Amino acid sequence: MQLITGTTKLLGVIGDPVEHSLSPVMHNRAIASLGVDYVYLPLPIKPEDLAVAIAGFKAIGLVGFNITIPHKQAIMPLLSEVSDIAQGVGAVNTVYRTNSGWWGTNTDVAGFISPLQALNRDWSQTKVVVLGYGGAARAVVVGCTQLGCTKIHVIGRNPQKLSQFQQSWDSTNLPVSINIHLWQQLPELISQADLLVNTTPVGMYPDIDRSPVEEATIQRLSAKAIAYDLIYTPSTTKFLQQAQQQGAVTLNGLEMLVQQGAAALKIWLGQTPPVDIMRQSLQEQLQG
Ligand code: NAP
């Protein structure tokens, strides 16, 4: 355990609740491995206290912090600058203190694309099918655009929310066409999918026997496709098991979690983060 002294610099994660966050252990393990004089704290903040908390963080000289549910959007007007990526996603998950105030960005995008970049492919002709239209789906859309994908199909169950999702991209000028569909259209779309991403929580612990995709539908998935589930607990969801049976390449959400944290740490410390130690810490916490 590293020593916290009068010179130790402060980092943390704000949320409500924040007790179950895996980030404090992951970041403090990374900090210890780098041997730097920082500590990363869980900071439980109620929505009604957000503005006063951010002002207080300035007063106590917090260097930076992560943001989790429910503050990812609410924090945006409290920052002096928001990166283009975070503007595109419409949410901030990482904040850094600068001379001119708080600067916010979104490292979920970098986290999401990291395991895809490792596959070293040309993504320009990739047909992406995204299940769900919540906060994570927004990071997926921006991430796929960064990879160079130009066609994204988004599946949802509420027609109104689907069209709001589609319209929300109009002002962003992303070089991508976003098509929206109800779940009934998935059987037709899935056979053409090169990258199928589950951003719904269906299949997450404890509902591990559920999948967002019906058995008869997943059978239409090509063996050449990539199935990516943002869920990291369990490590192999029912959805990923189904996709594996089709011969598809599968990815779970663990690497996204590791890499979003590593990207945040790099912003705060300006040093290359110990990604292997961060990954190991998460695996231990998830297994423990
Ligand atoms: P969110 O904003 O609440 O969005 C959830 C989406 O799933 C919504 O579109 C919702 O549609 C849909 N949905 C929920 N239950 C459904 C069901 N039974 N059938 C069909 N659609 C359903 O949540 P989020 O922040 O995007 O997170 C989504 C998932 O991604 C979670 O499992 C989370 O753990 C994971 N995630 C992982 C990482 C990572 O680092 N690996 C990062 C972020 C999120 P309605 O609005 O119609 O309910």
Side-chain angles (χ1 to χ4, degrees):
M1 175 88 190
Q2 82 187 104
L3 217 53
I4 297 172
T5 70
T7 61
T8 303
K9 297 182 195 69
L10 304 177
L11 298 167
V13 53
I14 65 165
D16 179 32
V18 84
E19 288 82 353
H20 303 294
S21 172
L22 303 175
S23 295
V25 174
M26 173 174 72
H27 282 293
N28 286 316
R29 285 272 296 273
I31 285 165
S33 145
L34 291 169
V36 291
D37 192 13
Y38 283 80
V39 66
Y40 184 102
L41 304 166
L43 302 164
I45 310 287
K46 294 268 171 230
E48 59 273 25
D49 296 330
L50 185 62
V52 77
I54 303 306
F57 291 166
K58 181 168 181 255
I60 60 171
L62 213 82
V63 173
F65 55 97
N66 284 132
I67 300 106
T68 187
I69 290 167
H71 304 311
K72 284 185 171 190
Q73 283 94 32
I75 194 152
M76 293 176 79
L78 303 172
L79 305 174
S80 47
E81 209 183 330
V82 174
S83 73
D84 288 346
I85 288 179
Q87 301 267 16
V89 178
V92 164
N93 81 330
T94 300
V95 168
Y96 179 58
R97 184 163 49 86
T98 68
N99 288 337
S100 52
W102 298 110
W103 175 82
T105 191
N106 191 309
T107 64
D108 282 336
V109 175
F112 168 72
I113 62 175
S114 177
L116 294 171
Q117 283 169 321
L119 298 174
N120 235 337
R121 297 193 180 183
D122 171 14
W123 300 95
S124 57
Q125 303 303 315
T126 302
K127 195 164 192 179
V128 185
V129 176
V130 180
L131 310 176
Y133 41 44
R138 300 192 66 82
V140 168
V141 166
V142 175
C144 287
T145 310
Q146 285 197 351
L147 287 176
C149 307
T150 53
K151 283 194 197 100
I152 302 180
H153 296 267
V154 177
I155 311 274
R157 57 184 173 179
N158 179 317
Q160 207 180 340
K161 285 190 189 176
L162 263 177
S163 29
Q164 278 168 358
F165 184 89
Q166 190 180 39
Q167 282 163 16
S168 71
W169 301 98
D170 288 352
S171 58
T172 60
N173 296 321
L174 282 186
V176 67
S177 78
I178 296 171
N179 301 290
I180 50 172
H181 312 267
L182 290 166
W183 283 87
Q184 295 89 295
Q185 288 170 274
L186 182 59
E188 194 187 316
L189 274 170
I190 204 167
S191 51
Q192 304 154 34
D194 303 302
L195 173 60
L196 176 65
V197 188
N198 176 36
T199 77
T200 79
V202 180
M204 188 162 67
Y205 180 83
D207 290 325
I208 60 170
D209 294 329
R210 294 183 64 206
S211 166
V213 184
E214 286 176 12
E215 206 61 56
T217 304
I218 203 89
Q219 283 174 11
R220 292 165 165 245
L221 184 69
S222 158
K224 290 185 190 147
I226 301 166
Y228 191 161
D229 199 332
L230 301 198
I231 295 171
Y232 46 83
T233 168
S235 61
T236 310
T237 55
K238 177 89 186 290
F239 167 70
L240 292 185
Q241 287 170 28
Q242 291 171 318
Q244 277 168 0
Q245 277 163 13
Q246 295 309 116
V249 172
T250 57
L251 297 169
N252 70 17
L254 183 74
E255 199 59 19
M256 175 174 176
L257 190 64
V258 174
Q259 297 290 346
Q260 63 75 33
L265 204 59
K266 191 166 185 194
I267 291 168
W268 297 323
L269 306 187
Q271 291 191 32
T272 304
V275 174
D276 290 345
I277 285 171
M278 297 172 83
R279 185 182 302 110
Q280 195 187 334
S281 138
L282 286 174
Q283 281 165 341
E284 284 169 11
Q285 290 186 78
L286 290 167
Q287 282 156 16

